[in-house]
């Protein structure tokens, strides 16, 4: 019996040793092959990201809109254009620099006005007249990767377009699969790494950046080294396998480090099965194995008690989650009710604002009609009553269509002559213009300018713009308002005044924002007008003149009689 036990023990020891050596070598080779395949995939992803962004400066440098903005020094909408391009391309950032190196447009508004005349991407782009790539160390282990190209028109260099490449998301994807990945440039400096402390160092310096191991950690390291193949390097005190691949871009190289933990786990799983088989052979001869079984049974009982405790804790957490969900539903209902009340208040304020002008005109016409009746001129008085009837009809239309501010859609549209809408709006504003010494200049083409719109709502927009212009020039001695109708690719209505201008253009179209004194305005006129113009497929913009005053412009698509009329369905 003793010889049998010794023979089984020696056989188990030899089989375990041989199996460990063979499986370790095989699994290590498989792990190395997978690591090299991952490196090839990572290299392809890196090149794809770089190549995808490399063509962006060439396309933007030929953009007529950017060339016009640099040529005319007008960058009011250039940043918005760059933001739209950034969303479509997925670049980290896009900046437009003028010939002096000043940032005149950017997707990051905090960069506007900064000067980069000494930056490599600016200097190299001016020298080469081609797309150039630069890597800049920004400190704190951060690198900026940029493509830049000079913007040239008619042989003149107008500026430089700079496109930032976001390679940090590649680092995040690498960190989720591999233990550690680093990319070095042609000088051996690490520019990309899943370990932030490695950036800016060489590879030997990066591998030395680690905390001093404790005595227990050193003991585990010795044990791991004895059961694993010779290590290529050590990462945070652990033996790792190092794989390296060349990136066909500016002499870059990519290095990955994979621990032997997965290899050891798979080998141990097989060895455990092998040892278990030998243990079953010895089960009938070793009484101690029965004691081990009893100890395992006690351990299972403890684990069962732990599971019951865990089940109770999960039950309490589920009850707590249900209570929180009920409270959340109550809070959502309260928020919905508050939103309805806020919308109701906004609508009532809008109705009050839009009906103020027709009521003032009706008061003027009633006073005129009373005076005409007193003088016996009844036919002329009837004309005033007819105008009052038109105003009442208009007030009814306003109350029906003011709801367009609270919803996205609008009423059905029809072909409208833009000149007639301007004439009707001037007629509505005639009482106010007559009581003040304001010079009104009209510029309208002889032919019709047809657009698809609702006549009442379109006149409402023009009246709001005229009323704001009247308020702006009320303190001017030489008050002047110019209203123009122009046509080109679109139809345009512009209202100019020689007032003080608008102090804050960014908040101009926000609801309830106004520059008037309390009680003189609600701050809803321009917000409603912008919503109405948007429903017609156009836009309302504003800017200040250099010599003073403000310009409000309504841009609407021209009506093509060969195309079927479109309608905007109300929600």
């Amino acid at each position: 019996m003793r010889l049998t036990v010794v023979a089984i023990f020696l056989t188990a020891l030899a089989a375990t040793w041989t199996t460990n050596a063979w499986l370790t070598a095989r699994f290590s080779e498989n792990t190395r092959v997978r690591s090299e395949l991952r490196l090839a995939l990572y290299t392809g992803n890196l090149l794809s990201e770089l190549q995808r962004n490399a063509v962006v400066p060439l396309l933007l440098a030929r953009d007529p809109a950017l060339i016009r903005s640099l040529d005319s020094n007008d960058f009011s909408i250039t940043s918005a254009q760059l933001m739209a391009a950034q969303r479509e391309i997925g670049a980290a950032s896009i900046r437009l620099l003028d010939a002096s190196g000043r940032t005149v447009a950017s997707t990051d508004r905090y960069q506007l006005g900064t000067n980069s005349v000494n930056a490599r991407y600016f200097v190299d782009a001016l020298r080469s007249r081609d797309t150039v790539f630069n890597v800049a160390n920004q400190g704190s282990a951060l690198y900026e990767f940029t493509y830049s190209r000079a913007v040239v028109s008619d042989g003149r260099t107008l500026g430089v377009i700079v496109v930032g490449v976001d390679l940090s998301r590649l680092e995040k994807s690498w960190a989720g699969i591999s233990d550690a990945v680093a990319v070095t440039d042609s000088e051996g400096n690490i520019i990309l790494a899943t370990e932030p402390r490695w950036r800016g160092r060489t590879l030997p310096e990066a591998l030395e950046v680690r905390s001093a191991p404790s005595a227990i950690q050193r003991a585990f390291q010795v044990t791991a080294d004895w059961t694993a193949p010779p290590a290529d390097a050590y990462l945070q005190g652990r033996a790792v396998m190092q794989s390296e691949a060349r990136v066909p871009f500016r002499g870059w190289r990519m290095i990955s480090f994979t621990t032997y933990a997965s290899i050891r786990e798979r080998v141990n799983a097989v060895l455990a099965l092998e040892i278990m088989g030998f243990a079953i052979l010895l089960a009938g001869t070793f009484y101690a194995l029965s004691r081990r079984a009893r100890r395992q049974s006690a351990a299972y009982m403890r684990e069962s008690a732990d599971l019951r405790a865990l089940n109770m804790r999960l039950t309490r957490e589920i009850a707590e989650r249900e209570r929180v969900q009920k409270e959340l539903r109550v809070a959502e209902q309260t928020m919905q009710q508050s939103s309805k009340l806020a919308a109701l208040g906004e609508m009532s304020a809008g109705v009050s604002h839009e009906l103020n002008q027709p009521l003032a005109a009706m008061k003027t016409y009633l006073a005129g009609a009373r005076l005409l009746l007193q003088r016996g001129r009844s036919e002329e008085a009837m004309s005033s009553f007819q105008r009052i009837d038109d105003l009442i009809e208009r007030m009814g239309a306003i109350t029906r269509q003011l709801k367009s501010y609270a919803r996205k859609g609008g009423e059905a549209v029809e072909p409208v002559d833009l000149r007639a809408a301007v004439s009707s709006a001037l007629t509505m504003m005639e009482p106010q213009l007559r009581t003040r010494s304001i010079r009104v200049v009209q510029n309208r083409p002889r032919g019709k300018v047809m657009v698809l719109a609702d006549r009442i709502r379109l006149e409402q927009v023009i009246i709001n713009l005229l009323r704001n212009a009247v308020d702006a020039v009320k303190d001017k001695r030489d008050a002047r308002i110019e209203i123009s109708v122009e046509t080109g690719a679109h139809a345009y209505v512009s209202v100019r005044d020689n007032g003080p201008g608008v102090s804050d253009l960014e908040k101009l179209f926000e609801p309830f924002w106004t520059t008037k004194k309390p009680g003189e305005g609600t701050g809803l006129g321009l917000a409603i007008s912008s919503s109405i113009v948007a429903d017609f497929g156009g836009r309302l913009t504003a800017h200040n003149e250099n010599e003073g005053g403000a310009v409000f412009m309504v841009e609407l698509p021209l009506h093509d009689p060969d195309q079927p009329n479109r309608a905007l369905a109300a929600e």
Side-chain angles (χ1 to χ4, degrees):
M1 182 61 71
R2 291 182 179 178
L3 291 176
T4 303
V5 171
V6 171
I8 294 175
F9 181 80
L10 293 177
T11 302
L13 184 61
T16 303
W17 183 275
T18 304
T19 303
N20 175 70
W22 182 71
L23 290 179
T24 299
R26 182 178 179 181
F27 289 155
S28 297
E29 184 62 23
N30 292 341
T31 301
R32 185 177 297 277
V33 170
R34 286 197 297 270
S35 177
E36 291 174 355
L37 290 176
R38 283 198 299 269
L39 273 183
L41 177 62
Y42 294 165
T43 302
N45 292 340
L46 180 60
L47 286 176
S48 176
E49 186 69 16
L50 291 170
Q51 292 171 358
R52 186 174 64 85
N53 288 273
V55 300
V56 177
L58 176 61
L59 298 177
L60 294 180
R62 298 177 179 178
D63 191 346
L66 297 182
I67 295 175
R68 286 196 302 270
S69 63
L70 287 171
D71 198 21
S72 62
N73 203 26
D74 181 11
F75 309 102
S76 58
I77 63 172
T78 308
S79 293
Q81 293 175 344
L82 295 183
M83 291 178 185
Q86 180 192 25
R87 287 192 295 269
E88 295 177 359
I89 297 168
S93 63
I94 304 177
R95 285 173 285 171
L96 180 63
L97 282 63
D98 61 13
S100 65
R102 183 174 61 91
T103 303
V104 295
S106 174
T107 56
D108 184 1
R109 62 178 182 177
Y110 297 105
Q111 294 181 348
L112 293 176
T114 59
N115 197 296
S116 305
V117 67
N118 296 323
R120 286 284 303 277
Y121 51 77
F122 179 78
V123 176
D124 292 348
L126 292 181
R127 288 176 178 174
S128 67
R129 296 294 182 92
D130 199 354
T131 302
V132 295
F133 178 82
N134 280 284
V135 180
N137 191 340
Q138 295 181 322
S140 301
L142 292 176
Y143 281 86
E144 182 185 32
F145 306 89
T146 58
Y147 279 105
S148 59
R149 186 182 181 93
V151 181
V152 180
S153 176
D154 296 332
R156 296 184 300 113
T157 301
L158 302 179
V160 173
I161 189 74
V162 182
V163 178
V165 184
D166 184 13
L167 299 182
S168 61
R169 56 184 178 184
L170 296 179
E171 292 178 328
K172 297 177 183 177
S173 64
W174 298 340
I177 301 177
S178 300
D179 295 309
V181 178
V183 177
T184 62
D185 59 12
S186 58
E187 298 177 358
N189 296 320
I190 297 177
I191 55 178
L192 290 173
T194 55
E195 293 289 333
R197 294 183 298 176
W198 289 6
R199 300 191 193 102
R201 304 174 184 266
T202 61
L203 189 59
E205 294 173 348
L207 294 176
E208 293 176 359
V209 179
R210 61 180 180 179
S211 303
S214 62
I216 296 178
Q217 290 173 333
R218 288 196 297 270
F220 278 116
Q221 178 179 331
V222 171
T223 304
D225 292 347
W226 179 75
T227 58
D232 296 335
Y234 285 92
L235 177 62
Q236 296 180 354
R238 295 181 298 174
V240 294
M241 179 189 302
Q242 179 176 336
S243 300
E244 186 172 345
R246 186 179 66 86
V247 181
F249 181 79
R250 300 173 68 90
W252 288 7
R253 302 191 71 83
M254 181 177 291
I255 305 99
S256 72
F257 301 93
T258 305
T259 63
Y260 291 94
S262 60
I263 300 174
R264 194 72 254 152
E265 290 172 359
R266 286 186 287 174
V267 172
N268 289 343
V270 177
L271 293 179
L273 294 175
E274 190 174 21
I275 294 172
M276 186 179 296
F278 287 106
I280 293 174
L281 293 176
L282 295 173
T285 59
F286 284 97
Y287 175 75
L289 290 180
S290 62
R291 296 180 60 186
R292 179 185 177 188
R294 288 195 294 270
R295 290 196 298 269
Q296 289 178 348
S297 178
Y300 293 153
M301 292 178 64
R302 288 194 298 270
E303 291 179 0
S304 178
D306 293 341
L307 289 174
R308 286 195 296 270
L310 178 61
N311 186 29
M312 294 178 62
R313 186 164 63 251
L314 289 176
T315 302
R316 289 194 297 268
E317 290 181 359
I318 291 173
E320 180 66 19
R321 285 175 178 269
E322 291 177 352
R323 184 185 64 81
V324 171
Q325 288 177 355
K326 291 180 180 179
E327 293 178 356
L328 181 60
R329 285 194 294 269
V330 173
E332 289 176 349
Q333 293 175 358
T334 303
M335 185 177 295
Q336 290 176 0
Q337 185 64 22
S338 300
S339 299
K340 292 179 181 178
L341 292 176
L344 180 60
E346 183 178 323
M347 181 61 63
S348 62
V351 170
S352 174
H353 177 83
E354 294 301 327
L355 294 183
N356 183 51
Q357 180 64 30
L359 288 174
M362 288 173 61
K363 184 176 180 181
T364 302
Y365 287 134
L366 283 173
R370 184 184 296 110
L371 183 61
L372 291 172
L373 289 175
Q374 290 175 356
R375 296 181 179 179
R377 297 158 64 181
S378 58
E379 293 183 358
E380 297 181 13
M382 289 301 295
S383 175
S384 297
F385 288 136
Q386 180 60 41
R387 292 186 176 182
I388 293 172
D389 183 67
D390 293 341
L391 289 174
I392 294 174
E393 178 65 25
R394 183 181 188 84
M395 290 169 64
I398 289 174
T399 57
R400 289 192 302 269
Q401 298 185 12
L402 271 175
K403 291 184 290 184
S404 63
Y405 177 69
R407 48 181 165 79
K408 185 176 180 180
E411 301 295 337
V413 296
E414 59 183 1
V416 177
D417 186 359
L418 201 55
R419 302 178 309 157
V422 171
S423 298
S424 179
L426 287 172
T427 302
M428 284 287 297
M429 290 296 298
E430 183 180 355
Q432 289 192 12
L433 297 173
R434 188 180 299 172
T435 56
R436 304 184 185 183
S437 57
I438 301 175
R439 181 187 174 191
V440 179
V441 179
Q442 302 182 45
N443 295 318
R444 288 182 286 179
R446 294 184 179 180
K448 293 183 178 181
V449 181
M450 303 302 295
V451 296
L452 278 177
D454 184 293
R455 183 180 61 83
I456 297 296
R457 300 172 70 200
L458 180 58
E459 293 176 6
Q460 174 186 345
V461 172
I462 299 173
I463 289 174
N464 279 336
L465 298 182
L466 288 172
R467 185 167 55 222
N468 288 340
V470 171
D471 293 338
V473 300
K474 63 181 180 180
D475 297 329
K476 299 283 291 186
R477 292 185 178 180
D478 55 342
R480 183 176 183 270
I481 297 176
E482 179 181 349
I483 180 168
S484 302
V485 178
E486 301 175 359
T487 180
H490 294 76
Y492 304 92
V493 177
S494 61
V495 178
R496 290 179 171 83
D497 61 69
N498 60 345
V502 181
S503 60
D504 194 342
L505 291 172
E506 294 184 357
K507 297 182 179 179
L508 186 59
F509 298 105
E510 293 183 4
F512 301 105
W513 186 87
T514 180
T515 57
K516 299 178 182 179
K517 297 180 181 179
E520 295 183 0
T522 62
L524 286 170
L526 292 176
I528 294 174
S529 299
S530 179
S531 177
I532 291 174
V533 175
D535 286 344
F536 296 155
R539 62 174 182 169
L540 175 60
T541 58
H543 64 273
N544 292 322
E545 295 280 23
N546 294 331
E547 61 272 11
V551 180
F552 289 83
M553 180 170 290
V554 177
E555 179 182 346
L556 293 171
L558 287 170
H559 170 56
D560 186 358
D562 296 332
Q563 298 293 332
N565 292 346
R566 58 181 178 88
L568 301 176
E571 292 184 353

